[in-house]
Amino acid sequence: QTSGVPAILPIGQNGMDFENYKEFMPGLYAIGEVLRDNGYQLMYMIGSSIEFSGCDIYLKTHGDYSVRDYLYYLSNGTLPQGYKVWWGYEDEKLFEFAKKEIMKISASEQPFCFSMMTMDTHFMDGYKCRLCGEEYDNQYSNVIACSSKQIGHFIEWLKQMPFYENTTVVIVGDHPTMDSDYISRLNGYRDDYLRLSYLTVLNSAIPYTLNKTRKFTQMDMYPTTLAAMGFDVEGDKLGIGVNLFKDQPTALEELGYDGLKERLEMHSKFYDKYLLYRHKP
């Protein structure tokens, strides 16, 4: 999503041992490096430990983000000692902390990129916080509704901020829900129901003028996000990703799901040599 290429790594179920790694795919030039090299402040916030699945090494290698995770707020006393719910702290606190951090970094004349990952809807049944209602007859529906309301309130807060007029907001899911059984329990479920990730771009620097629905993957978010921020993307491609604002077929549109899957599973000497490892020129 931030580099335009798939993660073809011996990572298993997010279980790769990153303790002996100082860099994460150092051959990449990801969105963090693009923004850093253009003078942006970078901050990443998550309600769990950033060390999960090597995320800390990735963010350090590609942009050197300032990180605000569960361990950060635990160590500085913002969270009480021993506090832990779900995977760290809940989204209610995430949005509260985010507002404070955004106010700080937006006070500078330097542009900023603030990224945050919500967690309450991320696993089976989700995390039911004190804000969740009982509108639906199952927990996951109530958690999703609660998350949607919190995101909506956060966006309304952003719109009131003086920096919003010149700020692009991208709301995107990292994958379809992990609770696949939940879909089969929905009223009116159909066998041909297509599970997709969520995407919305607010306040884009360029309008979407194409009169069609796009088929795309997470890899297309790299050039698309930069284009939405007002960057010129040469050739409208970065990695395998395509700028969705322009009428150029994505890899998925061109190859179809099975064709793209087959291509991505092929071994690539270029990938191994130039992306996975750092070599002397």
Side-chain angles (χ1 to χ4, degrees), residues 1-5 28-34 44 58-59 62 65 115 218-223 225-226 238:
Q1 183 167 304
T2 57
S3 67
V5 298
L28 293 176
Y29 187 68
I31 196 170
E33 288 143 305
V34 173
Y44 190 93
Y58 179 78
L59 295 173
H62 300 289
Y65 289 72
S115 303
Q218 302 297 80
M219 294 180 289
D220 296 300
M221 290 310 302
Y222 181 19
T225 300
L226 287 173
L238 287 169

Side-chain angles (χ1 to χ4, degrees), residues 77-280:
T78 303
L79 293 173
Q81 284 301 311
Y83 185 89
K84 187 173 185 180
V85 299
W86 203 226
W87 289 337
Y89 61 83
E90 64 272 44
D91 289 349
E92 180 187 0
K93 287 184 171 57
L94 182 86
F95 289 114
E96 175 189 332
F97 297 159
K99 290 177 181 178
K100 294 178 181 178
E101 298 292 354
I102 290 173
M103 290 300 293
K104 291 178 185 176
I105 62 176
S106 66
S108 166
E109 293 184 3
Q110 187 180 0
F112 67 89
C113 173
F114 181 88
S115 303
M116 60 190 289
M117 178 177 280
T118 61
M119 303 297 285
D120 286 2
T121 62
H122 200 76
F123 203 59
M124 272 63 86
D125 291 329
Y127 175 74
K128 187 177 180 182
C129 74
R130 70 179 189 89
L131 300 178
C132 290
E134 300 287 347
E135 182 180 355
Y136 302 98
D137 60 3
N138 66 82
Q139 177 169 309
Y140 199 41
S141 291
N142 287 313
V143 170
I144 292 172
C146 182
S147 177
S148 181
K149 288 177 183 177
Q150 290 186 74
I151 293 170
H153 292 321
F154 181 71
I155 296 301
E156 289 305 312
W157 176 82
L158 285 175
K159 289 181 177 179
Q160 303 305 313
M161 296 298 103
F163 57 78
Y164 181 76
E165 184 178 346
N166 193 35
T167 300
T168 299
V169 180
V170 179
I171 309 172
V172 60
D174 59 338
H175 52 69
T177 174
M178 297 173 72
D179 198 342
S180 55
D181 290 343
Y182 169 76
I183 301 299
S184 64
R185 298 196 304 267
L186 287 177
N187 292 330
Y189 168 76
R190 305 182 326 188
D191 289 338
D192 62 348
Y193 183 86
L194 183 61
R195 299 174 60 226
L196 301 170
S197 294
Y198 184 86
L199 169 63
T200 293
V201 180
L202 303 174
N203 223 14
S204 173
I206 57 173
Y208 185 77
T209 58
L210 302 178
N211 188 26
K212 63 179 180 180
T213 301
R214 307 301 304 267
K215 293 181 179 180
F216 61 95
T217 69
Q218 302 297 80
M219 294 180 289
D220 296 300
M221 290 310 302
Y222 181 19
T224 300
T225 300
L226 287 173
M229 295 175 69
F231 281 82
D232 255 342
V233 180
E234 185 177 351
D236 293 311
K237 287 185 176 181
L238 287 169
I240 300 175
V242 167
N243 176 8
L244 295 173
F245 287 96
K246 297 298 180 70
D247 195 7
Q248 183 168 178
T250 66
L252 183 58
E253 290 169 336
E254 192 171 353
L255 299 171
Y257 177 82
D258 290 336
L260 178 59
K261 183 175 183 290
E262 181 182 354
R263 296 286 186 91
L264 294 179
E265 289 175 347
M266 291 180 178
H267 180 253
S268 168
K269 291 182 179 179
F270 174 87
Y271 189 97
D272 290 348
K273 181 176 181 180
Y274 293 105
L275 300 185
L276 287 183
Y277 308 105
R278 189 184 300 278
H279 290 271
K280 295 181 179 178

